[in-house]
Amino acid sequence: MASTVYGLYPMIQMNYTDQLNRTIFVTAQPQRIISLVPSQTELLIDLGLEERIVGVTKFCVHPQGLKKRKAIVGGTKNYRFDVIESLKPDLIIGNKEENEQTGIEELMEKYPVWMSDIYTLKDSLEMIGYFGEMLSVQAKAEAIINQLKTDFALPLCRKGTSVYLIWKDPIMVAGAETFINKMLDFAGFENLIRTPRYPQISEEVLVDLNPEYLLLSSEPFPFKETHRQYFQSFLPNAKVILVDGEIFSWYGNRLLKAKAYFESL
């Protein structure tokens, strides 16, 4: 812990380690937070921190109306640096996978930027705990963590083999080494895509894989009923289902809805 001075007022800075193993110095009780990740924005709100958020991305759609109440600093890949500068943030929160590296590194030169790096439920629980400590909302964070530990204590009944689509043209799927892959496993699906990250595949490969379930995500590509019918036409034996991408890929408090949702599929 170290003291510094902003204007005439002494302020205390605390050092924290983010999930990239970087040490950042954050003013105790940061009051001007920018969130660059929709799922983490929602988590901040659930932790009771809306009044301390000054900027969000155009994709931060939860809770409804938030974007009208906060400054929009761009998307998750492109940032409006002039808007960020005008907001004078004392903390920026991002994610390794969702945010663009070059822009994040530029922000790191000027501001304390805390980065998450999440592939497993354990990573998510760790992130929630860090938020609780760093933002002095430990009790609320622990309540979420404890509930998630209970919900995810045992995997659900096995459903069958699956392929999970995140994009239409080209066809992109969720593979190994992704948070979605972990959620598929918990939900009872065996992911047939062994390649890491988000590979592209052809329709022919999809037919050869012959999954029992084809899951069409609501994001980032917004699959609709017409797409479901299209894939069903050449995968007649598969159960082709439109699924809530936020439940499978958002790693904050939205996970509290995951168990019930997965059981309903």
Side-chain angles (χ1 to χ4, degrees):
M1 182 172 67
S3 296
T4 187
V5 176
Y6 294 84
L8 300 176
Y9 300 96
M11 301 186 74
I12 304 300
Q13 284 193 330
M14 305 290 291
N15 63 293
Y16 296 97
T17 302
D18 68 8
Q19 290 183 303
L20 300 184
N21 203 33
R22 299 169 49 255
T23 298
I24 66 170
F25 292 89
V26 178
T27 301
Q29 295 288 327
Q31 298 297 312
R32 304 189 62 79
I33 303 170
I34 290 176
S35 175
L36 300 177
V37 183
S39 61
Q40 293 178 177
T41 299
E42 185 182 44
L43 173 61
L44 292 171
I45 300 296
D46 202 40
L47 291 172
L49 298 168
E50 180 172 346
E51 293 302 315
R52 291 156 66 180
I53 299 172
V54 295
V56 297
T57 75
K58 62 183 179 181
F59 301 114
C60 293
V61 295
H62 298 296
Q64 186 175 5
L66 180 69
K67 293 194 296 180
K68 295 181 179 179
R69 301 191 294 271
K70 306 298 177 181
I72 303 300
V73 299
T76 56
K77 309 296 184 186
N78 299 294
Y79 316 116
R80 300 170 62 188
F81 292 99
D82 57 334
V83 174
I84 292 174
E85 177 67 26
S86 70
L87 293 174
K88 303 187 185 312
D90 49 18
L91 176 64
I92 297 176
I93 294 173
N95 173 265
K96 179 182 177 181
E97 178 176 289
E98 296 196 45
N99 297 134
E100 192 273 328
Q101 182 177 351
T102 302
I104 286 292
E105 290 176 346
E106 185 173 340
L107 292 173
M108 287 176 176
E109 295 177 359
K110 296 182 179 181
Y111 312 103
V113 180
W114 193 96
M115 297 292 290
S116 63
D117 187 20
I118 297 176
Y119 296 98
T120 67
L121 179 66
K122 180 181 177 182
D123 296 334
S124 176
L125 299 182
E126 181 184 73
M127 179 266 293
I128 296 169
Y130 274 127
F131 278 23
E133 178 185 4
M134 186 167 53
L135 302 172
S136 300
V137 285
Q138 290 94 331
K140 291 181 179 179
E142 282 300 317
I144 295 174
I145 291 169
N146 291 336
Q147 184 60 57
L148 291 177
K149 285 181 176 179
T150 298
D151 289 352
F152 285 83
L154 295 172
L156 302 182
C157 296
R158 308 316 293 172
K159 295 179 173 67
T161 60
S162 69
V163 175
Y164 185 103
L165 271 61
I166 65 167
W167 203 257
K168 171 64 171 65
D169 186 18
I171 296 174
M172 295 180 66
V173 295
E177 299 178 17
T178 63
F179 187 74
I180 292 172
N181 185 62
K182 295 295 185 181
M183 291 300 102
L184 287 170
D185 183 61
F186 172 78
F189 297 103
E190 178 190 348
N191 189 2
L192 293 176
I193 305 301
R194 312 299 187 192
T195 307
R197 314 303 296 143
Y198 303 101
Q200 296 181 20
I201 65 172
S202 65
E203 292 182 357
E204 291 75 18
V205 169
L206 194 54
V207 171
D208 289 341
L209 287 170
N210 191 29
E212 295 175 86
Y213 290 85
L214 183 68
L215 307 179
L216 307 181
S217 178
S218 61
E219 65 164 37
F221 184 87
F223 284 100
K224 306 296 183 185
E225 174 61 20
T226 55
H227 303 111
R228 191 196 69 77
Q229 294 175 12
Y230 173 76
F231 284 103
Q232 189 73 79
S233 70
F234 62 86
L235 290 171
N237 298 321
K239 296 179 181 178
V240 184
I241 305 175
L242 298 170
V243 297
D244 188 337
E246 293 176 356
I247 298 292
F248 276 94
S249 64
W250 286 31
Y251 36 76
N253 55 300
R254 185 143 298 243
L255 287 171
L256 295 170
K257 301 179 180 181
K259 183 180 180 181
Y261 179 75
F262 293 153
E263 287 175 335
S264 74
L265 290 177

